[in-house]
Amino acid sequence: VEKYGHKFPSNTIEYLLKNTGSIIMQLKNYHNRPRPKEIARNYNIDLEIVDLSSAKTKSYPSGHSAQAELIGLVLSDMYPNLRTKIMKEADNVSLSRNIGRLHYGSDSQNGKHLGQALYKHYKNKENAL
C-alpha cells in the first residue's frame, strides 16, 4: 500500500489481527490437526520444513491464510485500484505456508474461506455502526 503512495492503516490492521486471533485458535484447538512435521516425525519421514515460531499451533485452519485474506479484502475496499496487487500478496502469504511445509493445502484453502467469512462479519458489523 505504501509502495503505491498510500498510508498504511496500521490501526485497522491491528484491530483485525487482535479480534481474529482467538477465533482462529478456537478452531485450531477444536480440529486439533497435526502439522506436516508432526505426521512426518510419527512415520520417521525426513521432511525438510521451515521452522518458524509462528508454526507452533495446530495446522487447521491456517491462521496466516485467514488473516491475509481478511486483511486483503479490507485493504481492497480501502484502495480498490490496488485490489489485484493486494489480493496477490494475500495469496502469496498463504502459498508460502505450503511451500515451507507448515500446512497442508486444505489448511490454507479453508483458512482463506475463513478469512472471507470474517470479512463478511467485519463488513456487517461496520455497517451496523
Side-chain angles (χ1 to χ4, degrees):
V1 170
E2 290 177 337
K3 178 180 176 181
Y4 297 98
H6 300 283
K7 185 177 183 317
F8 185 75
S10 55
N11 289 342
T12 300
I13 302 308
E14 287 173 24
Y15 171 84
L16 294 171
L17 294 173
K18 177 183 170 196
N19 288 287
T20 57
S22 64
I23 294 165
I24 293 166
M25 286 308 301
Q26 287 175 18
L27 289 167
K28 284 178 173 284
N29 291 333
Y30 175 80
H31 291 287
N32 200 32
R33 186 179 200 183
R35 288 191 182 261
K37 69 179 178 181
E38 294 174 73
I39 298 296
R41 185 175 45 235
N42 290 343
Y43 288 97
N44 293 321
I45 297 171
D46 186 23
L47 181 67
E48 289 187 38
I49 61 154
V50 176
D51 192 21
L52 299 173
S53 61
S54 62
K56 303 301 182 201
T57 60
K58 291 300 180 179
S59 195
Y60 181 89
S62 167
H64 281 80
S65 296
Q67 290 178 326
E69 187 77 7
L70 168 62
I71 290 167
L73 291 167
V74 170
L75 289 176
S76 292
D77 284 350
M78 297 171 81
Y79 309 106
N81 60 319
L82 299 177
R83 179 178 175 75
T84 302
K85 291 174 175 55
I86 289 169
M87 294 312 296
K88 177 65 176 159
E89 290 302 319
D91 287 342
N92 287 342
V93 168
S94 184
L95 181 60
S96 74
R97 307 299 284 186
N98 297 122
I99 291 170
R101 297 187 177 136
L102 300 169
H103 284 287
Y104 305 98
S106 56
D107 297 340
S108 298
Q109 189 61 38
N110 285 295
K112 286 180 164 189
H113 290 307
L114 174 58
Q116 293 162 8
L118 291 168
Y119 169 75
K120 287 178 186 173
H121 175 75
Y122 171 78
K123 291 301 288 184
N124 287 337
K125 186 175 180 181
E126 183 181 63
N127 291 333
L129 297 177

